[in-house]
Amino acid sequence: MKKTRNTSVDTTVTDFILLGLAHPPNLRTLLFLVFLVIYILTQLGNLLILLTVWADPKLHARPMYILLGVLSFLDMWLSSVIVPRIILNFTPTSKIISFGGCVAQLFAFHFLGSTQCFLYTLMAYDRYLAICQPLRYPVFMNGRLCTILVAGAWGAGSIHGSIQATLTFRLPYCGPNQVDYFFCDIPAVLRLACADTTVNELVTFVDIGVVAASCFMLILLSYANIVHAILKIRTADGRRRAFSTCGSHLTVVTVYYVPCIFIYLRAGSKSPLDGAVAVFYTVVTPLLNPLIYTLRNQEVKSALKRLSTGRRLVNEDK
């Protein structure tokens, strides 16, 4: 249903209809259960990481794990912004989202997504200092500086989200109001605008491109130096532990950046693959992050083991 108000000029859309993911009707129940289970596991997995970092004195005193806790917090919120709407798509309930709700969803998604982008860069910087500058690490990455950097990432993310939401919804929308996507995102919403969107597409390309490319290049630079430093480590066990820690981060960065580049740096694309790719980095990646970091990080696994057995969380690994 489309609510409108008549004027002498146009009709203004006051809500949108999210068409959701295309799917065979006979798979509706199965897909509902799959996405519901994914959402529950995502929340529980990230909450477990968050609580473990908070409860273990060894973890929450180190910037690396503070950043991991912030990442888990972001994943919980990012999943909550997107997945419940997908789940509703597989039920008979209304698929209408108000104009304000669409604005809020687009802002929240880009705010959280860009903050996550900056956070990955901080995590690479943290690993660079820890491995390449171990003696200076306590000075360059202490708790106070880590807090300032995380706050800066949140601030920059909010600015990015505000810019994208403002530019998208300053345009007139006079119908139709059916968003051919599973959430309110820039490319899908702009297709409904009753005005030229060239400037918006250019700004989106440049803004997201600059943010993503800058962060990605800084991450690559950090890991180029890290690999060079790891190869100088004499012991095989030392090299293995360093590669294991960094491998987790690189895996997460890859599954995050590649889909984003596919979606946003192809202006005007209407590829049927866009929905599937977007599901991967909005739904699957937040689920994978806790698994990747726990399965490949011995310190987190040890802390989880102590937490699960009810033992006192002290620095037993020293």
Side-chain angles (χ1 to χ4, degrees), residues 239-310:
R239 288 195 299 270
R240 182 190 59 78
R241 293 186 63 182
F243 270 123
S244 177
T245 301
C246 296
S248 301
H249 187 201
L250 280 176
T251 302
V252 170
V253 166
T254 300
V255 298
Y256 179 81
Y257 274 99
V258 172
C260 285
I261 292 172
F262 182 85
I263 294 291
Y264 295 106
L265 300 189
R266 293 154 48 251
S269 171
K270 297 182 181 180
S271 171
L273 290 176
D274 287 356
V277 173
V279 166
F280 188 82
Y281 80 92
T282 58
V283 178
V284 179
T285 300
L287 172 67
L288 291 179
N289 282 349
L291 296 175
I292 291 172
Y293 278 105
T294 54
L295 293 177
R296 297 180 62 90
N297 190 298
Q298 188 59 46
E299 289 179 305
V300 174
K301 286 193 290 186
S302 297
L304 284 170
K305 186 176 180 179
R306 292 195 297 271
L307 185 65
S308 64
T309 56

Side-chain angles (χ1 to χ4, degrees), residues 60-168:
H60 71 234
R62 296 175 58 184
M64 172 184 174
Y65 295 104
I66 294 175
L67 296 174
L68 177 58
V70 175
L71 177 63
S72 294
F73 182 77
L74 284 170
D75 279 335
M76 292 175 68
W77 279 101
L78 185 62
S79 178
S80 296
V81 168
I82 304 298
V83 182
R85 272 287 168 181
I86 300 178
I87 295 173
L88 285 177
N89 180 242
F90 304 119
T91 67
T93 58
S94 173
K95 297 173 178 60
I96 293 176
I97 183 171
S98 67
F99 191 93
C102 193
V103 174
Q105 188 181 50
L106 188 146
F107 166 77
F109 173 71
H110 284 275
F111 163 46
L112 296 169
S114 56
T115 302
Q116 198 168 60
C117 179
F118 297 131
L119 188 68
Y120 286 141
T121 309
L122 292 180
M123 294 174 79
Y125 175 66
D126 173 78
R127 291 301 83 206
Y128 162 75
L129 290 177
I131 295 174
C132 301
Q133 305 285 339
L135 298 180
R136 298 182 180 181
Y137 179 76
V139 177
F140 288 132
M141 186 55 86
N142 52 50
R144 180 174 177 273
L145 179 58
C146 182
T147 302
I148 293 173
L149 291 174
V150 169
W154 282 93
S158 66
I159 293 173
H160 172 82
S162 298
I163 291 173
Q164 294 300 331
T166 301
L167 288 175
T168 300

